[in-house]
Amino acid sequence: MIPASFAYARPTTVDEALQAIADGGEDVKIMAGGQSLIPVMRLRLAAPETVVDLTKVSELRGVREDGDSLVIGAMTTHTDVLRDPLIAQYGKLIAEATETVADPAVRHRGTFGGALAHADPAGDLPAVALALDAEFVIAGPGGARRSVPASAFFVDYLTTALEEGELLVEVRVPKLGEGWGVRYEKFNRVAQAWSIVAVAAAVRREGSTIAEARIGLTNMGATPLRATAVEQALVGADVSLETVTAAAAQAAEGTEPSSDLNAQADYRQHLARVLTGRAVRAAAGL
């Protein structure tokens, strides 16, 4: 189908983008890569008054270092994330998850920030951002900026802490250096599909002991979730198959997955336990 008519703005700076959003009327949609927005507009499930296209805002692209953090521009494409040497060195979990996003055509157009702001619980990147304790830098009217931790950014299904007139400009992710192992385990029915369940794991070892563990769950609720019971069971424990298996058995605690044509809720909880065990074993080097 052809989308309903809409006004179109294509700013070249963040300030221009914020002004275009402010001037766009009651129903404004921000287009990053357009891989989620354009399909729903063509189906007329969305009919915005104005579309603000960010593809020409060059300051929102790229990856840089800032002390112990990686700073990823919201308009950095998935393909550019995968090619970036800083991501390869300090953001291996981001790279693993990004490799599973859709197909090469979507990864070429889709953006890191767009996928996160869309906040689909079946998307691959929100759980990774949550597991890595990312911070979201948001620009608002007048250029004021604020930072929101990942734990507070994902509010509900397809809903984030972004308020009216605001724009996600960058995501700050702590570097994972020496001693960290990572793994993204994804289960889906066919290649390039959304996750039925996926698990993002980052584990830091000190000798034969697990010093830190971060586990994010994809599609186990209305928002991405941390498997806190698993993390607590792993920290301070010896690295062994028995320890990991026992910890992973707690992965579904506190989750409320949906039932749909792809999987029933109890099957998703089973998958969470199995995939968490696989991801943690790989991240811990077992």
Side-chain angles (χ1 to χ4, degrees):
M1 292 178 64
I2 298 173
S5 62
F6 56 89
Y8 178 76
R10 199 177 198 188
T12 59
T13 68
V14 170
D15 288 342
E16 288 180 5
L18 291 169
Q19 189 60 54
I21 294 167
D23 295 341
E26 294 185 0
D27 188 3
V28 180
K29 293 295 185 184
I30 299 170
M31 186 169 71
Q35 301 306 290
S36 298
L37 178 60
I38 291 175
V40 296
M41 288 179 63
R42 292 188 65 183
L43 292 170
R44 301 218 175 179
L45 297 174
E49 182 178 345
T50 303
V51 172
V52 178
D53 181 352
L54 301 180
T55 54
K56 291 295 185 180
V57 185
S58 59
E59 63 192 282
L60 295 180
R61 297 184 183 274
V63 181
R64 60 183 173 85
E65 293 180 273
D66 185 9
D68 293 331
S69 297
L70 293 178
V71 183
I72 306 172
M75 286 295 294
T76 307
T77 66
H78 301 308
T79 296
D80 286 342
V81 166
L82 289 171
R83 292 173 176 171
D84 191 88
L86 291 173
I87 295 291
Q89 184 174 3
Y90 298 115
K92 292 182 176 66
L93 185 56
I94 295 171
E96 282 199 14
T98 302
E99 283 179 335
T100 75
V101 172
D103 56 35
V106 170
R107 291 195 293 271
H108 182 73
R109 299 277 312 173
T111 65
F112 186 76
L116 292 168
H118 185 52
D120 191 320
D124 297 293
L125 297 179
V128 172
L130 186 64
L132 295 178
D133 292 323
E135 287 195 355
F136 294 76
V137 180
I138 297 168
R145 298 197 176 193
R146 64 188 180 102
S147 293
V148 178
S151 58
F153 184 76
F154 302 104
V155 176
D156 204 342
Y157 181 73
L158 301 181
T159 306
T160 70
L162 284 163
E163 297 179 358
E164 186 176 347
E166 290 188 325
L167 179 68
L168 177 64
V169 294
E170 63 188 27
V171 182
R172 303 177 67 88
V173 183
K175 294 178 181 177
L176 296 187
E178 292 294 325
W180 283 96
V182 301
R183 184 72 166 194
Y184 188 70
E185 284 284 339
K186 177 175 178 174
F187 184 88
N188 50 13
R189 292 195 306 119
V190 295
Q192 304 170 355
W194 296 97
S195 298
I196 294 177
V197 174
V199 176
V203 174
R204 184 172 67 84
R205 292 180 54 167
E206 291 182 355
S208 61
T209 301
I210 296 175
E212 292 184 69
R214 304 177 184 177
I215 314 294
L217 303 177
T218 295
N219 215 9
M220 289 298 291
T223 65
L225 300 171
R226 285 285 285 266
T228 54
V230 178
E231 295 173 348
Q232 292 168 1
L234 289 172
V235 173
D238 290 336
V239 179
S240 68
L241 290 174
E242 294 76 15
T243 296
V244 171
T245 300
Q250 304 175 63
E253 289 186 10
T255 65
E256 295 182 359
S258 62
S259 293
D260 55 31
L261 292 175
N262 290 312
Q264 296 297 303
D266 59 345
Y267 181 55
R268 281 195 163 94
Q269 291 179 326
H270 165 73
L271 286 174
R273 292 187 285 268
V274 172
L275 297 177
T276 296
R278 292 178 183 174
V280 173
R281 286 194 296 271
L286 292 173

